[in-house]
Amino acid sequence: MQVTNYSFEDLPFSKLFKTYVHNFDEVSEFFETNPFDRNAISQKIDEFNFQGNRKQTASILSALNEQFNAHEVAIRNIERLEKENALAVVTGQQLGVYGGPLYTVLKTISTIHIARKLEKEFDRPVIPVFWLADEDHDYDEVRKLTIIEEDKPKTFSLPPKNNHLPTVADLQLPDEISDMRDQLKESLYDTDFSDDLWTLLNRSFQKDHTFFKAFGLFISRLFSKHGLVLAGSNQSDVKGVTGEYLKASIEKADKIRDHLEEKSVDLAEEYHQQVTLYDSNLFYLDDETGRTKISRNNNGWKTDGNIEWSTAQLVDEIEAHPDRFSPNVFLRPVIQDALLPTVGYVAGPGETAYYGQMRSMYRCFDMDMPIIFPRLSATLVEPAINRIIGELPFEFYEYGNRIEDLESDYVDKTDQHDIEGIFEDWQAQVEEISENKKKDVAGIDSTLEAAAEKATSVYINELNKLKGKVYRSVKKQDQTQLDRIRRIKANLFPGDGLQERTIAGIFFMNKYGVDIWDKLLNTLDQDEDFKHHKLVYL
């Protein structure tokens, strides 16, 4: 396995993210700490102050991780969190079936790597934590999985469900998981590693398991041996610990909204606003209407299901029944950081953007924004692709273009004949001759000038048709290379997007082993800071 750097500049990442990794000073007003400045990180760590109860946090995490048969290394890390100088580096993700897209494992690897790096550099316990998105309700996001079959993306899905669902974490895997498994096994051809993979998947994603348990078992079995600790907030003991922050989100709602709006407007002027703002950052969980937003109702509050409260009544309801309330994308990090001594969060490009909206909001909770570390971004290049990619005249990033454009560009770059030049010259000569002849015809009979113009247009149209035939002829002559272009594109930029956002991690585990992520983790340079996209040659 070999890893090389590739600039983000030509890849499909947002302007904000590219600026964040290449010119942090330009976006420093939206973030508290430069993740690439050792002095800034050192100051952040020195000044870090965790307001929570470490013993209580450790107790909660111990009970949770026992459910997932966590490795003894992870259990020891939970115990180490009780130390007054212990810190946590956190990431999180939705509970995707069979582990979800590649970026899920890339975020996890990043978190383990950064925790190790900080612990060694600053000589204090730094624990990697994966926050299970156990309050997420987007079932449609977690029920799908994409692999590559015959050089084409192929998606497998569990059946859709109707509205008013509980959290995805509480949903049991449907009976159709068996059908999905059989279809996947048929498409993922047998290798020396298939038995190990399916042993892992079948033990994790069983029909009697919830998405929460299945995904947690999967991640724990892969990464708890590296000390990764699992956490989440959809538990009564966590809601009991963090209920004060849920109440504060209502009591300080106007102030929070003002701070969010201020940063969001500033961010949108130069970059983009990732997340829409609402009156509150809470959802209400109702047995009849499901999860509904809590919105302003004059001086009070209401849900879409027409439940109404005054502010005092809503605060009392949160205190009495915190389990009935769920944080949105802005409040979730606050709950996370109230439970954990979070010195840093490992974020994808989208998460980095919404954290940029949140800087001032943290002050409303008397908290500081953690360091936002970019995650490992990578494209895995298989040997069969590596063998042919050097034979073609394209840079890696160009395979993100449309296949039609790649084919035309290939013909232009490799054909010995200047087809465009031939036809441009031909058309110019036709137009020059036609202009004079049209005048001659008009001099004979002015009513025929339009007909002469039409004759010229017909001729030029025929030229364009002929040019198309010439291009098709060239394509046919070099079909082998054009097929290779399609193959490379399908593997590196499936569906015109980055591989890491589309293809499931298990696709590579089936071909290269369940321990592929251990190897990638060990391949990373000790000082790696993820300022570049990685090309990982398998």
Side-chain angles (χ1 to χ4, degrees):
M1 184 180 290
Q2 181 183 357
V3 179
T4 62
N5 289 336
Y6 198 90
S7 174
F8 285 114
E9 284 302 327
D10 294 317
L11 297 175
F13 292 92
S14 69
K15 178 184 176 183
L16 173 62
F17 179 72
K18 291 176 183 178
T19 305
Y20 188 82
V21 296
H22 294 309
N23 299 290
F24 179 83
D25 288 346
E26 294 185 15
V27 294
S28 59
E29 66 179 290
F30 304 108
F31 304 92
E32 288 190 3
T33 309
N34 185 341
F36 312 111
D37 184 335
R38 188 194 182 283
N39 291 332
I41 294 172
S42 178
Q43 181 178 348
K44 176 73 173 181
I45 289 176
D46 288 343
E47 296 175 353
F48 185 83
N49 179 35
F50 179 53
Q51 301 175 26
N53 184 318
R54 290 176 178 273
K55 189 173 289 293
Q56 194 173 33
T57 293
S59 175
I60 290 170
L61 294 180
S62 293
L64 176 65
N65 282 264
E66 283 178 7
Q67 298 179 45
F68 303 118
N69 304 317
H71 194 280
E72 60 181 17
V73 180
I75 300 301
R76 285 201 299 270
N77 267 349
I78 294 173
E79 294 170 356
R80 293 169 75 217
L81 273 173
E82 292 190 41
K83 296 182 178 181
E84 283 303 313
N85 66 338
L87 305 169
V89 174
V90 187
T91 196
Q93 194 55 46
Q94 292 169 301
L95 313 176
V97 64
Y98 289 138
L102 178 60
Y103 61 65
T104 299
V105 293
L106 296 181
K107 291 177 79 173
T108 311
I109 289 169
S110 311
T111 304
I112 296 168
H113 172 81
I114 292 169
R116 287 178 177 176
K117 177 182 174 182
L118 295 180
E119 176 156 333
K120 182 175 183 179
E121 191 166 1
F122 296 100
D123 193 27
R124 57 193 296 176
V126 183
I127 314 305
V129 179
F130 190 103
W131 189 272
L132 300 164
D134 52 4
E135 300 206 59
D136 185 79
H137 279 69
D138 196 343
Y139 173 70
D140 204 49
E141 281 284 326
V142 303
R143 70 184 182 92
K144 299 175 183 178
L145 186 86
T146 300
I147 65 168
I148 299 171
E149 184 179 33
E150 297 180 351
D151 295 325
K152 294 179 182 177
K154 183 175 182 179
T155 298
F156 301 82
S157 302
L158 294 172
K161 293 183 180 292
N162 56 19
N163 295 327
H164 308 317
L165 295 172
T167 62
V168 169
D170 292 333
L171 286 174
Q172 280 200 326
L173 292 168
D175 292 341
E176 289 84 356
I177 189 70
S178 297
D179 298 330
M180 186 178 190
R181 178 195 62 207
D182 294 342
Q183 293 165 10
L184 265 171
K185 289 186 75 172
E186 187 175 336
S187 292
L188 292 171
Y189 60 83
D190 281 341
T191 70
D192 293 340
F193 311 109
S194 297
D195 288 346
D196 289 342
L197 174 63
W198 285 105
T199 297
L200 167 65
L201 294 179
N202 290 336
R203 286 177 178 174
S204 302
F205 292 87
Q206 298 180 20
K207 282 190 290 186
D208 61 337
H209 287 173
T210 61
F211 275 83
F212 180 71
K213 185 172 183 178
F215 186 90
L217 284 169
F218 176 76
I219 292 294
S220 183
R221 283 168 174 156
L222 285 177
F223 296 110
S224 66
K225 61 189 173 186
H226 297 295
L228 185 75
V229 174
L230 302 186
S233 58
N234 190 29
Q235 305 157 65
S236 58
D237 49 6
V238 175
K239 291 291 175 68
V241 170
T242 60
E244 292 300 314
Y245 294 87
L246 299 178
K247 291 192 296 182
S249 74
I250 293 298
E251 293 168 332
K252 301 179 180 180
D254 291 340
K255 184 179 179 182
I256 291 169
R257 173 64 189 248
D258 289 343
H259 281 295
L260 282 173
E261 190 160 20
E262 177 187 2
K263 284 299 178 187
S264 297
V265 168
D266 291 344
L267 203 62
E269 285 182 1
E270 183 66 25
Y271 302 101
H272 70 283
Q273 178 177 319
Q274 183 73 14
V275 179
T276 302
L277 307 184
Y278 294 100
D279 294 333
S280 85
N281 295 297
L282 276 183
F283 292 96
Y284 184 68
L285 306 178
D286 183 77
D287 292 338
E288 294 183 6
T289 58
R291 182 182 188 238
T292 60
K293 289 195 295 288
I294 297 177
S295 304
R296 279 289 189 189
N297 181 30
N298 296 321
N299 293 324
W301 303 90
K302 67 175 183 177
T303 70
D304 295 342
N306 294 319
I307 299 174
E308 298 184 3
W309 304 277
S310 67
T311 295
Q313 288 171 332
L314 180 53
V315 169
D316 288 344
E317 179 72 6
I318 294 171
E319 184 167 7
H321 304 287
D323 287 353
R324 295 180 183 174
F325 297 87
S326 179
N328 77 344
V329 68
F330 290 126
L331 190 56
R332 191 273 308 159
V334 172
I335 300 302
Q336 163 197 289
D337 299 348
L339 180 67
L340 301 166
T342 310
V343 74
Y345 184 83
V346 178
E351 291 172 301
T352 301
Y354 74 66
Y355 264 102
Q357 296 176 247
M358 291 176 58
R359 176 172 180 171
S360 299
M361 171 188 167
Y362 270 93
R363 300 300 183 194
C364 299
F365 297 93
D366 297 321
M367 300 171 75
D368 295 325
M369 174 187 279
I371 307 166
I372 308 303
F373 293 103
R375 67 163 169 82
L376 165 62
S377 174
T379 299
L380 276 54
V381 185
E382 298 190 64
I385 298 301
N386 191 31
R387 282 194 294 269
I388 61 176
I389 197 169
E391 299 178 12
L392 291 157
F394 295 112
E395 292 287 334
F396 165 72
Y397 77 89
E398 292 180 281
Y399 287 99
N401 297 335
R402 296 187 320 141
I403 189 64
E404 295 84 1
D405 295 333
L406 280 167
E407 290 177 340
S408 295
D409 288 345
Y410 173 76
V411 172
D412 289 342
K413 289 179 178 181
T414 60
D415 190 69
Q416 59 182 338
H417 302 292
D418 182 8
I419 297 173
E420 285 295 330
I422 290 171
F423 281 89
E424 285 178 5
D425 182 60
W426 195 344
Q427 181 172 329
Q429 291 185 45
V430 169
E431 290 174 342
E432 182 180 351
I433 293 172
S434 296
E435 193 63 33
N436 294 328
K437 298 306 178 185
K438 282 188 289 186
K439 292 178 181 177
D440 293 341
V441 170
I444 298 171
D445 185 345
S446 61
T447 64
L448 297 176
E449 185 174 2
E453 179 69 40
K454 182 178 180 181
T456 302
S457 297
V458 169
Y459 191 90
I460 290 174
N461 188 48
E462 290 300 316
L463 278 183
N464 287 329
K465 290 180 181 179
L466 177 59
K467 182 171 69 171
K469 290 179 181 179
V470 173
Y471 270 119
R472 286 192 290 275
S473 176
V474 172
K475 287 181 183 180
K476 188 174 182 180
Q477 293 170 25
D478 211 355
Q479 191 60 49
T480 298
Q481 293 294 70
L482 294 173
D483 288 343
R484 286 176 170 176
I485 291 171
R486 285 183 173 272
R487 185 181 184 190
I488 294 169
K489 176 177 174 55
N491 280 268
L492 304 186
F493 288 87
D496 294 338
L498 287 166
Q499 178 196 84
E500 63 183 20
R501 297 176 184 168
T502 304
I503 305 304
I506 64 167
F507 172 77
F508 298 101
M509 294 165 69
N510 183 63
K511 298 179 77 172
Y512 300 97
V514 173
D515 64 348
I516 182 176
W517 313 128
D518 303 332
K519 294 175 181 176
L520 178 54
L521 178 60
N522 292 331
T523 301
L524 295 173
D525 185 82
Q526 179 179 311
D527 297 323
E528 178 59 58
D529 56 9
F530 306 122
K531 290 187 72 171
H532 299 87
H533 185 77
K534 305 295 180 184
L535 299 182
V536 181
Y537 296 93
L538 301 175

